Amino acid sequence: MSRDTSKIILFDVDGTLTAARKVIEPDMVTFLENLMHKYPVGLVGGSDLAKIEEQMGGRDRLNMFDFVFAENGLVALANGEIIAKESIQKFMGEDKIQELINFSLGYLSGVKLPRKRGTFIEFRNGMLNICPIGRSCTYEERGEFSEFDKQHGIRTTMVDALRKEFTKDGLVFSIGGQISIDAFPTGWDKTYCLRFVEKDFKEIYFFGDKTYKGGNDHEIFEDSRTKGFTVVSPEDTKKQVCQLFGIE
Ligand code: M1P
């Protein structure tokens, strides 16, 4: 059976193909393998490449996708090969980066939480990931923070403070997952990855769970180049894709 290469289907990772920061389930792998016999498929994650690789169950699994866009596409792979990499360090310069890091650490030093762990700022290729509880928390502690955050708006309040301070410098702040805030230059949201596919595909489908304003799927979901779909879980993703593409 030949593939319909006029279309590409892009998927967010956390909450769309997997549970938050969890490894993909075997039935989802089978589903995607079958889908890839029919259409090109790509991943668009906010996380860095190492985390997406881990969630897909290893490098071989990752390489089966036509495209993998880590950090919103700032690290871009086609058929397992890196085709582009963008650097926030180059874009912002050392002084501004330190200003952002110092402000964030200063802000977090005044925040009391049920628990704090380590790695409050993760420096990636194309973004800084700011995490009030610290990225080295356990899965249980992650869940606990997420509930606390829902009640106390820790991240939304911090995003307001960051926006007040750094919007003038062309930085945006987005709540992508359960425990952290992504910081990157304007335009380096998930729409960034579209430059790698817009010329070759007539239709670009996108499925994501955080498509609401402020969520990290919002911009690509709304973009005129994509047909965007909101899902509520990996199960819902399968259901919607099957309905849309007439798959049994
Ligand atoms: O779902 C994408 C997000 O995944 C992680 O978020 P958290 O650890 O907060 O659940 C991070 O890698 C984040 O950068 C990313 O947007």
PDB file of all heavy atoms in Angstrom, residues 17 30 32 39 41-42 57 62 64 71 75 92 107 112 130 137 139 144 148 168 193 196-197 201 214 226 234 244:
ATOM      1  N   LEU A  17       0.302  11.406  23.266  1.00  0.00           N
ATOM      2  CA  LEU A  17       0.703  10.032  22.921  1.00  0.00           C
ATOM      3  C   LEU A  17       1.050   9.225  24.159  1.00  0.00           C
ATOM      4  O   LEU A  17       1.023   7.999  24.138  1.00  0.00           O
ATOM      5  CB  LEU A  17       1.922  10.053  21.981  1.00  0.00           C
ATOM      6  CG  LEU A  17       1.706  10.663  20.595  1.00  0.00           C
ATOM      7  CD1 LEU A  17       2.983  10.545  19.775  1.00  0.00           C
ATOM      8  CD2 LEU A  17       0.551   9.991  19.851  1.00  0.00           C
ATOM      9  N   THR A  30       1.841   0.324  18.351  1.00  0.00           N
ATOM     10  CA  THR A  30       1.237  -0.430  17.239  1.00  0.00           C
ATOM     11  C   THR A  30       0.350   0.487  16.400  1.00  0.00           C
ATOM     12  O   THR A  30       0.388   0.475  15.172  1.00  0.00           O
ATOM     13  CB  THR A  30       0.384  -1.602  17.807  1.00  0.00           C
ATOM     14  OG1 THR A  30       1.202  -2.311  18.707  1.00  0.00           O
ATOM     15  CG2 THR A  30      -0.131  -2.506  16.717  1.00  0.00           C
ATOM     16  N   LEU A  32       0.591   3.716  16.020  1.00  0.00           N
ATOM     17  CA  LEU A  32       1.404   4.662  15.232  1.00  0.00           C
ATOM     18  C   LEU A  32       2.099   3.952  14.066  1.00  0.00           C
ATOM     19  O   LEU A  32       2.202   4.492  12.968  1.00  0.00           O
ATOM     20  CB  LEU A  32       2.439   5.350  16.128  1.00  0.00           C
ATOM     21  CG  LEU A  32       1.864   6.357  17.137  1.00  0.00           C
ATOM     22  CD1 LEU A  32       2.943   6.822  18.108  1.00  0.00           C
ATOM     23  CD2 LEU A  32       1.250   7.567  16.442  1.00  0.00           C
ATOM     24  N   TYR A  39       0.449   7.324   6.323  1.00  0.00           N
ATOM     25  CA  TYR A  39       0.796   8.760   6.240  1.00  0.00           C
ATOM     26  C   TYR A  39       2.139   9.020   6.924  1.00  0.00           C
ATOM     27  O   TYR A  39       2.476   8.346   7.897  1.00  0.00           O
ATOM     28  CB  TYR A  39      -0.256   9.614   6.983  1.00  0.00           C
ATOM     29  CG  TYR A  39      -1.667   9.421   6.522  1.00  0.00           C
ATOM     30  CD1 TYR A  39      -2.542   8.616   7.258  1.00  0.00           C
ATOM     31  CD2 TYR A  39      -2.117  10.023   5.358  1.00  0.00           C
ATOM     32  CE1 TYR A  39      -3.845   8.423   6.839  1.00  0.00           C
ATOM     33  CE2 TYR A  39      -3.427   9.830   4.929  1.00  0.00           C
ATOM     34  CZ  TYR A  39      -4.283   9.032   5.675  1.00  0.00           C
ATOM     35  OH  TYR A  39      -5.570   8.833   5.252  1.00  0.00           O
ATOM     36  N   VAL A  41       4.379  10.757   9.638  1.00  0.00           N
ATOM     37  CA  VAL A  41       4.021  11.131  11.016  1.00  0.00           C
ATOM     38  C   VAL A  41       5.221  11.813  11.683  1.00  0.00           C
ATOM     39  O   VAL A  41       6.366  11.402  11.490  1.00  0.00           O
ATOM     40  CB  VAL A  41       3.601   9.877  11.832  1.00  0.00           C
ATOM     41  CG1 VAL A  41       3.428  10.211  13.313  1.00  0.00           C
ATOM     42  CG2 VAL A  41       2.304   9.280  11.283  1.00  0.00           C
ATOM     43  N   GLY A  42       4.928  12.862  12.459  1.00  0.00           N
ATOM     44  CA  GLY A  42       5.995  13.547  13.192  1.00  0.00           C
ATOM     45  C   GLY A  42       5.605  13.811  14.637  1.00  0.00           C
ATOM     46  O   GLY A  42       4.418  13.846  14.984  1.00  0.00           O
ATOM     47  N   GLY A  57      10.731   5.060  24.099  1.00  0.00           N
ATOM     48  CA  GLY A  57      11.258   3.717  24.330  1.00  0.00           C
ATOM     49  C   GLY A  57      12.573   3.463  23.612  1.00  0.00           C
ATOM     50  O   GLY A  57      12.896   2.318  23.308  1.00  0.00           O
ATOM     51  N   LEU A  62      12.407   6.052  18.047  1.00  0.00           N
ATOM     52  CA  LEU A  62      12.343   7.462  17.656  1.00  0.00           C
ATOM     53  C   LEU A  62      12.603   7.607  16.148  1.00  0.00           C
ATOM     54  O   LEU A  62      11.959   8.399  15.457  1.00  0.00           O
ATOM     55  CB  LEU A  62      13.419   8.230  18.434  1.00  0.00           C
ATOM     56  CG  LEU A  62      13.283   9.732  18.482  1.00  0.00           C
ATOM     57  CD1 LEU A  62      12.141  10.100  19.424  1.00  0.00           C
ATOM     58  CD2 LEU A  62      14.569  10.357  19.006  1.00  0.00           C
ATOM     59  N   MET A  64      11.855   5.743  13.799  1.00  0.00           N
ATOM     60  CA  MET A  64      10.811   5.297  12.872  1.00  0.00           C
ATOM     61  C   MET A  64       9.917   6.466  12.426  1.00  0.00           C
ATOM     62  O   MET A  64       9.253   6.389  11.400  1.00  0.00           O
ATOM     63  CB  MET A  64       9.972   4.175  13.490  1.00  0.00           C
ATOM     64  CG  MET A  64       8.955   4.622  14.513  1.00  0.00           C
ATOM     65  SD  MET A  64       8.126   3.212  15.270  1.00  0.00           S
ATOM     66  CE  MET A  64       6.787   4.041  16.132  1.00  0.00           C
ATOM     67  N   GLU A  71      12.124  20.215  21.621  1.00  0.00           N
ATOM     68  CA  GLU A  71      12.175  21.638  22.010  1.00  0.00           C
ATOM     69  C   GLU A  71      11.449  22.490  20.952  1.00  0.00           C
ATOM     70  O   GLU A  71      11.985  23.480  20.437  1.00  0.00           O
ATOM     71  CB  GLU A  71      13.618  22.112  22.173  1.00  0.00           C
ATOM     72  CG  GLU A  71      14.389  21.342  23.229  1.00  0.00           C
ATOM     73  CD  GLU A  71      15.799  21.883  23.411  1.00  0.00           C
ATOM     74  OE1 GLU A  71      15.984  23.098  23.358  1.00  0.00           O
ATOM     75  OE2 GLU A  71      16.710  21.068  23.619  1.00  0.00           O
ATOM     76  N   VAL A  75      15.432  21.601  17.888  1.00  0.00           N
ATOM     77  CA  VAL A  75      16.258  20.458  17.505  1.00  0.00           C
ATOM     78  C   VAL A  75      15.363  19.600  16.598  1.00  0.00           C
ATOM     79  O   VAL A  75      14.356  19.062  17.043  1.00  0.00           O
ATOM     80  CB  VAL A  75      16.713  19.658  18.743  1.00  0.00           C
ATOM     81  CG1 VAL A  75      17.522  18.437  18.336  1.00  0.00           C
ATOM     82  CG2 VAL A  75      17.535  20.556  19.673  1.00  0.00           C
ATOM     83  N   MET A  92      20.279  34.976  22.712  1.00  0.00           N
ATOM     84  CA  MET A  92      20.102  35.918  23.828  1.00  0.00           C
ATOM     85  C   MET A  92      21.391  36.600  24.269  1.00  0.00           C
ATOM     86  O   MET A  92      21.362  37.730  24.743  1.00  0.00           O
ATOM     87  CB  MET A  92      19.523  35.195  25.053  1.00  0.00           C
ATOM     88  CG  MET A  92      18.046  34.898  24.927  1.00  0.00           C
ATOM     89  SD  MET A  92      17.441  34.007  26.370  1.00  0.00           S
ATOM     90  CE  MET A  92      17.498  35.236  27.661  1.00  0.00           C
ATOM     91  N   TYR A 107      13.467  34.807  42.347  1.00  0.00           N
ATOM     92  CA  TYR A 107      12.017  34.678  42.531  1.00  0.00           C
ATOM     93  C   TYR A 107      11.700  33.383  43.286  1.00  0.00           C
ATOM     94  O   TYR A 107      10.951  33.384  44.268  1.00  0.00           O
ATOM     95  CB  TYR A 107      11.327  34.688  41.159  1.00  0.00           C
ATOM     96  CG  TYR A 107       9.825  34.571  41.239  1.00  0.00           C
ATOM     97  CD1 TYR A 107       9.017  35.706  41.194  1.00  0.00           C
ATOM     98  CD2 TYR A 107       9.212  33.325  41.371  1.00  0.00           C
ATOM     99  CE1 TYR A 107       7.632  35.610  41.273  1.00  0.00           C
ATOM    100  CE2 TYR A 107       7.826  33.212  41.459  1.00  0.00           C
ATOM    101  CZ  TYR A 107       7.049  34.354  41.409  1.00  0.00           C
ATOM    102  OH  TYR A 107       5.680  34.254  41.498  1.00  0.00           O
ATOM    103  N   LYS A 112       7.538  29.292  48.847  1.00  0.00           N
ATOM    104  CA  LYS A 112       7.508  28.146  49.766  1.00  0.00           C
ATOM    105  C   LYS A 112       6.580  27.087  49.156  1.00  0.00           C
ATOM    106  O   LYS A 112       5.449  27.370  48.774  1.00  0.00           O
ATOM    107  CB  LYS A 112       6.960  28.647  51.121  1.00  0.00           C
ATOM    108  CG  LYS A 112       6.768  27.560  52.149  1.00  0.00           C
ATOM    109  CD  LYS A 112       8.079  27.283  52.929  1.00  0.00           C
ATOM    110  CE  LYS A 112       7.861  26.281  54.044  1.00  0.00           C
ATOM    111  NZ  LYS A 112       7.912  24.895  53.657  1.00  0.00           N
ATOM    112  N   ILE A 130      12.216  26.261  33.452  1.00  0.00           N
ATOM    113  CA  ILE A 130      12.287  26.740  34.837  1.00  0.00           C
ATOM    114  C   ILE A 130      11.302  25.919  35.670  1.00  0.00           C
ATOM    115  O   ILE A 130      10.119  25.839  35.335  1.00  0.00           O
ATOM    116  CB  ILE A 130      11.905  28.242  34.890  1.00  0.00           C
ATOM    117  CG1 ILE A 130      12.819  29.037  33.939  1.00  0.00           C
ATOM    118  CG2 ILE A 130      11.987  28.780  36.315  1.00  0.00           C
ATOM    119  CD1 ILE A 130      12.322  30.432  33.624  1.00  0.00           C
ATOM    120  N   CYS A 137      12.784  15.941  41.118  1.00  0.00           N
ATOM    121  CA  CYS A 137      11.734  15.381  41.993  1.00  0.00           C
ATOM    122  C   CYS A 137      11.314  13.999  41.491  1.00  0.00           C
ATOM    123  O   CYS A 137      11.517  13.674  40.321  1.00  0.00           O
ATOM    124  CB  CYS A 137      10.529  16.318  42.053  1.00  0.00           C
ATOM    125  SG  CYS A 137       9.710  16.551  40.468  1.00  0.00           S
ATOM    126  N   TYR A 139       8.414  10.920  40.672  1.00  0.00           N
ATOM    127  CA  TYR A 139       7.127  10.982  39.953  1.00  0.00           C
ATOM    128  C   TYR A 139       5.995  11.339  40.916  1.00  0.00           C
ATOM    129  O   TYR A 139       5.101  12.096  40.583  1.00  0.00           O
ATOM    130  CB  TYR A 139       6.852   9.641  39.251  1.00  0.00           C
ATOM    131  CG  TYR A 139       5.844   9.813  38.134  1.00  0.00           C
ATOM    132  CD1 TYR A 139       6.207  10.429  36.939  1.00  0.00           C
ATOM    133  CD2 TYR A 139       4.523   9.392  38.291  1.00  0.00           C
ATOM    134  CE1 TYR A 139       5.292  10.622  35.929  1.00  0.00           C
ATOM    135  CE2 TYR A 139       3.600   9.573  37.271  1.00  0.00           C
ATOM    136  CZ  TYR A 139       3.992  10.184  36.090  1.00  0.00           C
ATOM    137  OH  TYR A 139       3.075  10.378  35.090  1.00  0.00           O
ATOM    138  N   GLU A 144       2.286  15.620  43.299  1.00  0.00           N
ATOM    139  CA  GLU A 144       1.943  16.451  44.458  1.00  0.00           C
ATOM    140  C   GLU A 144       2.084  17.935  44.107  1.00  0.00           C
ATOM    141  O   GLU A 144       1.210  18.757  44.391  1.00  0.00           O
ATOM    142  CB  GLU A 144       2.868  16.094  45.621  1.00  0.00           C
ATOM    143  CG  GLU A 144       2.568  16.843  46.898  1.00  0.00           C
ATOM    144  CD  GLU A 144       3.660  16.621  47.953  1.00  0.00           C
ATOM    145  OE1 GLU A 144       4.827  16.961  47.691  1.00  0.00           O
ATOM    146  OE2 GLU A 144       3.338  16.102  49.017  1.00  0.00           O
ATOM    147  N   PHE A 148      -0.746  20.983  43.975  1.00  0.00           N
ATOM    148  CA  PHE A 148      -0.506  22.206  44.740  1.00  0.00           C
ATOM    149  C   PHE A 148      -0.559  23.425  43.809  1.00  0.00           C
ATOM    150  O   PHE A 148      -1.134  24.467  44.135  1.00  0.00           O
ATOM    151  CB  PHE A 148       0.874  22.097  45.425  1.00  0.00           C
ATOM    152  CG  PHE A 148       1.168  23.221  46.379  1.00  0.00           C
ATOM    153  CD1 PHE A 148       0.686  23.191  47.685  1.00  0.00           C
ATOM    154  CD2 PHE A 148       1.928  24.322  45.984  1.00  0.00           C
ATOM    155  CE1 PHE A 148       0.962  24.231  48.577  1.00  0.00           C
ATOM    156  CE2 PHE A 148       2.210  25.355  46.863  1.00  0.00           C
ATOM    157  CZ  PHE A 148       1.724  25.310  48.163  1.00  0.00           C
ATOM    158  N   LYS A 168       9.778  42.671  27.126  1.00  0.00           N
ATOM    159  CA  LYS A 168      10.480  43.713  26.352  1.00  0.00           C
ATOM    160  C   LYS A 168      11.722  43.150  25.639  1.00  0.00           C
ATOM    161  O   LYS A 168      12.192  43.709  24.659  1.00  0.00           O
ATOM    162  CB  LYS A 168      10.866  44.883  27.266  1.00  0.00           C
ATOM    163  CG  LYS A 168      11.852  44.505  28.358  1.00  0.00           C
ATOM    164  CD  LYS A 168      12.344  45.704  29.131  1.00  0.00           C
ATOM    165  CE  LYS A 168      13.396  45.428  30.192  1.00  0.00           C
ATOM    166  NZ  LYS A 168      13.628  44.105  30.694  1.00  0.00           N
ATOM    167  N   CYS A 193       8.420  24.547  14.198  1.00  0.00           N
ATOM    168  CA  CYS A 193       8.705  23.325  13.439  1.00  0.00           C
ATOM    169  C   CYS A 193       8.052  23.320  12.047  1.00  0.00           C
ATOM    170  O   CYS A 193       8.453  22.545  11.187  1.00  0.00           O
ATOM    171  CB  CYS A 193       8.248  22.088  14.226  1.00  0.00           C
ATOM    172  SG  CYS A 193       6.477  21.795  14.171  1.00  0.00           S
ATOM    173  N   PHE A 196       9.840  23.246   8.581  1.00  0.00           N
ATOM    174  CA  PHE A 196      10.465  22.033   8.039  1.00  0.00           C
ATOM    175  C   PHE A 196       9.484  21.167   7.239  1.00  0.00           C
ATOM    176  O   PHE A 196       9.901  20.205   6.606  1.00  0.00           O
ATOM    177  CB  PHE A 196      11.066  21.191   9.179  1.00  0.00           C
ATOM    178  CG  PHE A 196      12.097  21.937   9.971  1.00  0.00           C
ATOM    179  CD1 PHE A 196      11.842  22.329  11.275  1.00  0.00           C
ATOM    180  CD2 PHE A 196      13.315  22.270   9.401  1.00  0.00           C
ATOM    181  CE1 PHE A 196      12.789  23.025  12.015  1.00  0.00           C
ATOM    182  CE2 PHE A 196      14.273  22.971  10.128  1.00  0.00           C
ATOM    183  CZ  PHE A 196      14.013  23.353  11.433  1.00  0.00           C
ATOM    184  N   VAL A 197       8.204  21.474   7.335  1.00  0.00           N
ATOM    185  CA  VAL A 197       7.219  20.613   6.652  1.00  0.00           C
ATOM    186  C   VAL A 197       6.275  21.375   5.725  1.00  0.00           C
ATOM    187  O   VAL A 197       5.627  20.771   4.867  1.00  0.00           O
ATOM    188  CB  VAL A 197       6.371  19.800   7.682  1.00  0.00           C
ATOM    189  CG1 VAL A 197       7.209  18.741   8.358  1.00  0.00           C
ATOM    190  CG2 VAL A 197       5.722  20.698   8.734  1.00  0.00           C
ATOM    191  N   PHE A 201       4.251  19.375   2.314  1.00  0.00           N
ATOM    192  CA  PHE A 201       2.948  18.749   2.572  1.00  0.00           C
ATOM    193  C   PHE A 201       1.819  19.744   2.346  1.00  0.00           C
ATOM    194  O   PHE A 201       1.899  20.888   2.808  1.00  0.00           O
ATOM    195  CB  PHE A 201       2.905  18.208   4.016  1.00  0.00           C
ATOM    196  CG  PHE A 201       3.954  17.163   4.272  1.00  0.00           C
ATOM    197  CD1 PHE A 201       5.166  17.491   4.863  1.00  0.00           C
ATOM    198  CD2 PHE A 201       3.748  15.845   3.874  1.00  0.00           C
ATOM    199  CE1 PHE A 201       6.150  16.534   5.075  1.00  0.00           C
ATOM    200  CE2 PHE A 201       4.727  14.878   4.086  1.00  0.00           C
ATOM    201  CZ  PHE A 201       5.935  15.222   4.686  1.00  0.00           C
ATOM    202  N   GLY A 214      -2.144  29.984  26.384  1.00  0.00           N
ATOM    203  CA  GLY A 214      -1.185  29.813  27.486  1.00  0.00           C
ATOM    204  C   GLY A 214      -0.589  28.417  27.504  1.00  0.00           C
ATOM    205  O   GLY A 214       0.457  28.198  28.086  1.00  0.00           O
ATOM    206  N   THR A 226      -1.998  24.789   9.843  1.00  0.00           N
ATOM    207  CA  THR A 226      -2.340  23.457  10.367  1.00  0.00           C
ATOM    208  C   THR A 226      -3.850  23.270  10.510  1.00  0.00           C
ATOM    209  O   THR A 226      -4.603  24.244  10.605  1.00  0.00           O
ATOM    210  CB  THR A 226      -1.747  23.225  11.776  1.00  0.00           C
ATOM    211  OG1 THR A 226      -2.327  24.179  12.671  1.00  0.00           O
ATOM    212  CG2 THR A 226      -0.251  23.354  11.789  1.00  0.00           C
ATOM    213  N   PRO A 234      -4.221  10.010  25.551  1.00  0.00           N
ATOM    214  CA  PRO A 234      -3.744   9.176  24.441  1.00  0.00           C
ATOM    215  C   PRO A 234      -4.882   8.342  23.808  1.00  0.00           C
ATOM    216  O   PRO A 234      -4.945   8.189  22.592  1.00  0.00           O
ATOM    217  CB  PRO A 234      -2.686   8.282  25.100  1.00  0.00           C
ATOM    218  CG  PRO A 234      -2.145   9.125  26.226  1.00  0.00           C
ATOM    219  CD  PRO A 234      -3.340   9.873  26.742  1.00  0.00           C
ATOM    220  N   LEU A 244     -11.133  10.455  11.970  1.00  0.00           N
ATOM    221  CA  LEU A 244     -10.787  11.437  10.943  1.00  0.00           C
ATOM    222  C   LEU A 244     -10.256  10.786   9.680  1.00  0.00           C
ATOM    223  O   LEU A 244     -10.589  11.193   8.566  1.00  0.00           O
ATOM    224  CB  LEU A 244      -9.744  12.393  11.515  1.00  0.00           C
ATOM    225  CG  LEU A 244      -9.486  13.646  10.738  1.00  0.00           C
ATOM    226  CD1 LEU A 244     -10.702  14.555  10.773  1.00  0.00           C
ATOM    227  CD2 LEU A 244      -8.306  14.388  11.356  1.00  0.00           C
TER     228      LEU A 244
END
